[in-house]
Amino acid sequence: MSKINRKLLLSLAVGAVLGAIQPAAAAPNEQYFPLQSYRVGPYAAGGTGFFGGFIDYMKLVNLRDGGVNGVKLTWSECETEYVVERGVECYERLKGGLNGAPAAATNPLSVGIAYATLDRSTADKLPLITINHGRTDSTDGSVFPYIFPLQLNPYSEVSAIINYIGQREGGLDKLKGKKIVTLYHGSPYGKETIPILDLLAKKYGFQVNHIEVPHPGNEQQSQWLNIRRIKPSWVILRGWGVMNPVALKTAAKTGFPVDHIIGNIWSNSEEDAAPAGAAGKGFISITTHPSGTDFPVLQDIKKYVVDKGQGDLEDPKRFGSVYYNLGVVNGILNVEAVRIAQEKYGKRPLTGEETRWGFEHLDLDDTRLKALGALGLAQPLKLSCADHEGGGAVRFQQWDGQQWNLISDWVQADRALLRPIIEQSSAKYAKEKGIAPRDCAKET
Amino acid sequence: MWFSETEAWRATGGKSRRLPVWRKAPMAWVALLVLGFGVVPFIGNDYWFSAILIPFLVLSLAGLGLNLVTGYAGQLSLGSAAFMAVGAFASYNFSLRVEGLPLLASFGLGGLSAALVGVLFGLPSLRIKGFYLLVSTLAAQFFVQWVLVKFSWFSNDNPSGVISAPPLVVLGQDFNSPAGRYVLTLGVVAAMTGLALNLVRGATGRNWMAVRDMDTAAAVIGIPILKTKLLAFGISSFYLGVAGALWAFAYLGTVEPHGFDLNRSFQVLFIIIIGGLGSVLGAYLGALFFVLFPVFLDHLAGGLFAGIIDAGHLENLQKIVFGSLIIFFLIREPEGLARLWWRFRARLGLDPAAS
């Protein structure tokens, strides 16, 4: 190796070491959010939208309000590419905070990474937020003290869809004898809700067929021919990524009415419907956070952040899209948790343990949502020690070929029915891991 | 194509080739083990244990496993991740369903299960070779993943198909902290590396290399081809199975079948190609390259260009740099990092056999 090469390598190594060592500074008045984001790879559309919205909301809080009660928000990103191992690396790298600012919570937006950091988050006392996804039984906060599947877990998701179908058919009793097909992604994620659908089918007397589409799902001819043979009233699409537009196109080709397909929470973005072109027109999906830019909070983001050229989105057209708005909602929930916890612990940067108290006491009613400019964008949410989900409601939207339009108010899941199943599962987990559940009656 | 330590020896005029491995440089080994067990656990932090050292050790073990069958015995395989999955899920089920089974025993049983599956998928190697064999091991990759997703019994009926680690307790000692998990992993990996070194320098290793270099000739001089090949698949899969169990329980604490997909097989294969086929040291060097280098690039890019270049572009840039380095490297040194290391030692005038 020549001398120049050696010098180059040496300087690179020195640079890396210097880059890795954070300069020690006096603790600033800042609250830190570690972002395990993904901007490249197959799920980049979701990552850039979600983390774009999240970052823009935090920027808004800083620019408009000067932070939360004077505590500025700060963050840094670490690219995971949606890969579990990289997510773990990022978690370990960022969990300690930034320049003395303590970490409040992690939000990986990935089931795999969430599972891999579940034990770590609990050991490190750092809340793990899995908004709209994650492990269903982590809804039970007595076994999973630091995990928060905010708003909607997978069981609530299908339950709300069935409730909506009941509404459309003129009452849940009308479901008797109807046929419903679920077309699901051939992965643990896709299979997760099968037992719940079977349970609901038994309860309401409809017939359910589960049809699997192997990953990634760009060939569905035989599945849709099968659906045509079954002639179901409704098809629930539990898809992911490329599987969604292909499902819509194949449905149109085989003559199944697209307006009787209901997409689940990961089949509900512009990126899922638009590539299907004309075939996607009429497609219905659930959402916990309508798209659109009319909400006051989004107008504020536009005024204070985007119009000043500080928006995080590379493509300004995606402002107000489904993924972006989910990021904004996620930002609202995280910031509100910090705000609530500050009432108890003082107006200063909080530790993860303190922020968890804030999450467990999240209470967003319509008045509070209105004050935040998010009425109709996020659902009313009330969490507690025992209930880490809080909401369990979705709205339905329909694709008109260009954009999503809301077609329903909030539809609630049958949470009373699901709760015993969740507790059964969390008890099993507690036994497997030797966890003694905490007594929520004793918590303040 | 194959880098072998025997050839490297000869090329550098090695003098001490008849000595058993332990007697050649015992001091270097002792120093390494003292460093690994006695120093690192006290100076490292959570980040180094959980994000760098543990995945490095586990991937080294996986690389070592694949190197036994591919590097030493010359049987191409793309099923590494499948055997890792078998090891992980089998260990999980053994520790779940057998009351009071020690942790290390469940790792061992997981490895044995993987070895069984490995022998099964190694059977075609008796009739087909090279790329054809590669495709048949690919079947293992898809079949195992399908079985694990299809039958929820393997994941204890968890609706997400995810398994989680049993409490990591060995002989009453709790290894659940990051440093503890590191020591546990290091212990298993070091022991199995010692075993592998003795194996490849002994009769088994010589048989494997004979089969690799020309199996007809090997058959003529009386080496049982069938037994040798299947033994290579079995032992290799055992190593991969244990690596899978460590990956699931000591590193991530949880795993789903998707975590052992084709990409993982490719990763293990690249580790031994970059590190050096047919070299124990190569597996370590390759894993070091694959674990450390992307993180290094990430820190470097974050320190130098953050805020100047868009985060997404920066990420793609790192991929380009990493990819180009691999290509450059394979052109300059097709026999891998291990060969580079041997040459480096030879230049310094050290006996290369001593490493």
Side-chain angles (χ1 to χ4, degrees), chain B residues 101 207 245:
Chain B
L101 185 73
N207 285 356

Side-chain angles (χ1 to χ4, degrees), chain A residues 160-188:
Chain A
I161 293 176
I162 295 298
N163 285 346
Y164 173 75
I165 293 176
Q167 273 182 26
R168 288 284 298 264
E169 298 284 348
L172 282 165
D173 50 319
K174 298 271 170 23
L175 285 176
K176 209 170 181 64
K178 288 266 182 331
K179 287 178 181 167
I180 294 174
V181 162
T182 33
L183 192 68
Y184 66 93
H185 187 256
S187 65

